[in-house]
Amino acid sequence: MNVSQSFKMAIKSLRTSKMRSLLTMLGIIIGVGAVIIIISLGNGVTGMVNQQVEKLGVNLVQTMIYGVGDGTTLNLDPQRMYDLVEENPEVLSGVSPYVTASAVVRSNGTEYEDTTIYGVSEAIYRPESNSTLDGCTLAEGRFLQYVDVVRRQHVCVLGAYLAEAAFQGDALGKDISIGGQNFTVVGVLDPISATVDAGSLDDQIYIPYENAMEIMGARQVSLYLFTSTSGATAAAAKELIDGLLFDYFQNQDAYYTTTMAEQADLINAMMSVVMVVLVAIAAISLLVGGIGIMNIMLVSVTERTREIGIRKSLGAKRRDIRRQFIIEAGTTSAIGGLLGILFGCLMSLAIGSLIGSMLVSMMTGSSSLTFNAAPSLGAVAVSFGVSVGIGVLFGYLPANKAAKLNPIDALRYE
């Protein structure tokens, strides 16, 4: 009996006991489906992280200043950072202090209590992409300019929520009170969140950083956003910044600098570890499925003992009997693997569409990012190969048992 005939017999055997065959395949279906879903969702998150890196720019470098606990941070003038950029134009292209402030925002007698105020410089805006380093896009008007920052002019750029809630979409040139001081609106940002509400990512204001420090009574900047000349010089930019800060503080714990590439690598590494753990857990279902196949094949050997005796008496060799049962076990797991792949692909698409927008909103609040949970061809191929391999592996013991049956005892078996 050749391989094709063995395969046809295997299909016939599965069709004879459809419910038993389905229950046998269930562990394989669940295991393969779970692996496909986990890998697909992991690929979706990884892709979204990479999109965010591309959006913010691979040349973005962030520096947090903690100080050494003795007040010396107060003496670190932001001008030192500006001087560093000017002294190294081949590596650094710009820097913006980034101050977060809280203050009462009023317009026409209405208070906006949840508004976040960001103090920045003009360097945070990238004219070539019409966006800021933190991912906001300018909708109308202009962003803060060098003269605004140097002269501490009372100008601001509003988020989409304030522009609509306070000025009904006509905000340019109007005044808004921030911390008791009037600021003139010179620009409005595009919506970021899917729902533009109070307290959302669209409820924000950009003003010159020294104005923000004055409003909140601060004397220090704790966060700086640098841009390197390209993604290739980001690592060199980080070394320059760390060198300046170490010379000043003499303490590596007083600051922390990271590039966008490092953040993306860290997130992707964490995702890889989580995916490996989850896939390992899902693989338990494949193990259970393999045990189920072995169990049902042992039952099949018992039920077909007389058939095995007849085939041996007609000249079938041990390898023929062994091959027949291995092919049956492999066919069972292969069909289960195909059903599992179909189940996993459908569930990946369904789950991706349900939670994709939520994950994008939680991660960045940007509707320009996409969450694609479609399974990769490699994951499908590996899952199918593993399912077939499990069937062959766990089917070998019953097949070997059938091959070793004594034909005389098998013919006498009732």
Side-chain angles (χ1 to χ4, degrees):
M1 182 181 294
N2 56 33
V3 175
S4 62
Q5 289 176 320
S6 298
F7 180 73
K8 290 178 181 178
M9 286 189 64
I11 295 296
K12 183 179 179 181
S13 177
L14 292 175
R15 294 177 63 183
T16 301
S17 304
K18 296 183 180 65
M19 183 56 68
R20 187 173 74 174
S21 300
L22 179 62
L23 293 175
T24 303
M25 300 174 189
L26 195 57
I28 299 293
I29 294 172
I30 294 174
V32 170
V35 170
I36 293 289
I37 292 170
I38 291 168
I39 293 177
S40 299
L41 294 179
N43 289 341
V45 173
T46 300
M48 193 169 61
V49 170
N50 292 334
Q51 288 178 52
Q52 179 70 354
V53 171
E54 290 295 329
K55 180 185 176 185
L56 297 181
V58 293
N59 63 334
L60 178 62
V61 183
Q62 301 181 40
T63 297
M64 288 289 300
I65 308 288
Y66 306 119
V68 291
D70 60 358
T72 55
T73 309
L74 301 179
N75 300 324
L76 182 60
D77 192 336
Q79 187 59 44
R80 286 175 174 260
M81 298 302 194
Y82 284 102
D83 292 341
L84 181 67
V85 173
E86 292 178 2
E87 293 165 3
N88 300 275
E90 71 285 353
V91 176
L92 291 165
S93 59
V95 59
S96 173
Y98 199 87
V99 179
T100 304
S102 296
V104 177
V105 177
R106 290 190 181 91
S107 177
N108 297 323
T110 303
E111 289 190 6
Y112 300 92
E113 300 177 352
D114 300 320
T115 302
T116 303
I117 303 163
Y118 296 112
V120 298
S121 77
E122 78 289 347
I124 199 174
Y125 177 68
R126 297 175 294 185
E128 66 277 5
S129 62
N130 191 37
S131 63
T132 63
L133 293 178
D134 50 3
C136 298
T137 304
L138 190 64
E140 56 181 337
R142 65 173 178 85
F143 203 77
L144 303 180
Q145 297 178 346
Y146 175 76
V147 66
D148 300 326
V149 178
V150 171
R151 296 181 179 179
R152 303 185 186 182
Q153 295 185 156
H154 285 200
V155 293
C156 65
V157 178
L158 297 186
Y161 167 74
L162 278 174
E164 184 62 36
F167 303 105
Q168 293 73 51
D170 183 23
L172 290 182
K174 306 293 178 60
D175 288 345
I176 189 169
S177 174
I178 305 174
Q181 303 178 29
N182 285 335
F183 284 74
T184 301
V185 179
V186 296
V188 177
L189 301 173
D190 273 326
I192 301 174
S193 307
T195 55
V196 181
D197 297 322
S200 68
L201 294 173
D202 291 297
D203 190 2
Q204 60 177 332
I205 301 176
Y206 285 103
I207 62 175
Y209 74 92
E210 289 190 284
N211 297 68
M213 294 173 68
E214 179 184 349
I215 288 173
M216 65 185 296
R219 297 176 57 195
Q220 63 180 353
V221 177
S222 298
L223 175 62
Y224 290 89
L225 301 183
F226 289 86
T227 52
S228 59
T229 52
S230 67
T233 59
K238 176 183 176 180
E239 290 184 8
L240 283 173
I241 298 165
D242 284 346
L244 169 68
L245 294 175
F246 184 77
D247 288 342
Y248 182 78
F249 290 110
Q250 295 296 308
N251 187 339
Q252 292 182 346
D253 295 330
Y255 56 88
Y256 175 72
T257 305
T258 181
T259 66
M260 282 301 299
E262 288 177 336
Q263 292 185 44
D265 291 342
L266 178 61
I267 294 174
N268 289 335
M270 293 173 61
M271 281 300 305
S272 296
V273 172
V274 172
M275 285 175 62
V276 167
V277 173
L278 292 177
V279 168
I281 294 173
I284 295 175
S285 295
L286 292 174
L287 178 63
V288 173
I291 294 173
I293 289 176
M294 182 171 64
N295 179 59
I296 205 66
M297 292 307 297
L298 286 171
V299 173
S300 180
V301 169
T302 302
E303 292 176 344
R304 296 161 62 183
T305 300
R306 284 181 61 83
E307 175 192 329
I308 295 170
I310 293 172
R311 290 183 60 188
K312 281 197 168 188
S313 65
L314 293 176
K317 298 181 179 180
R318 283 190 175 186
R319 64 173 179 269
D320 298 320
I321 303 297
R322 185 182 295 111
R323 181 178 62 190
Q324 172 63 37
F325 281 91
I326 288 177
I327 288 176
E328 288 189 17
T331 301
T332 301
S333 61
I335 294 175
L338 290 174
L339 293 175
I341 289 170
L342 178 62
F343 167 73
C345 291
L346 292 176
M347 288 300 296
S348 296
L349 295 174
I351 294 174
S353 63
L354 286 175
I355 69 173
S357 59
M358 180 182 67
L359 287 176
V360 170
S361 177
M362 289 173 59
M363 180 177 174
T364 62
S366 176
S367 57
S368 64
L369 299 185
T370 58
F371 180 81
N372 183 14
S376 64
L377 182 61
V380 171
V382 170
S383 299
F384 180 74
V386 170
S387 65
V388 174
I390 284 177
V392 172
L393 178 64
F394 283 86
Y396 182 81
L397 179 62
N400 198 47
K401 177 182 177 182
K404 291 181 178 180
L405 285 176
N406 186 297
I408 297 175
D409 293 336
L411 287 169
R412 291 164 52 187
Y413 183 82
E414 295 292 340

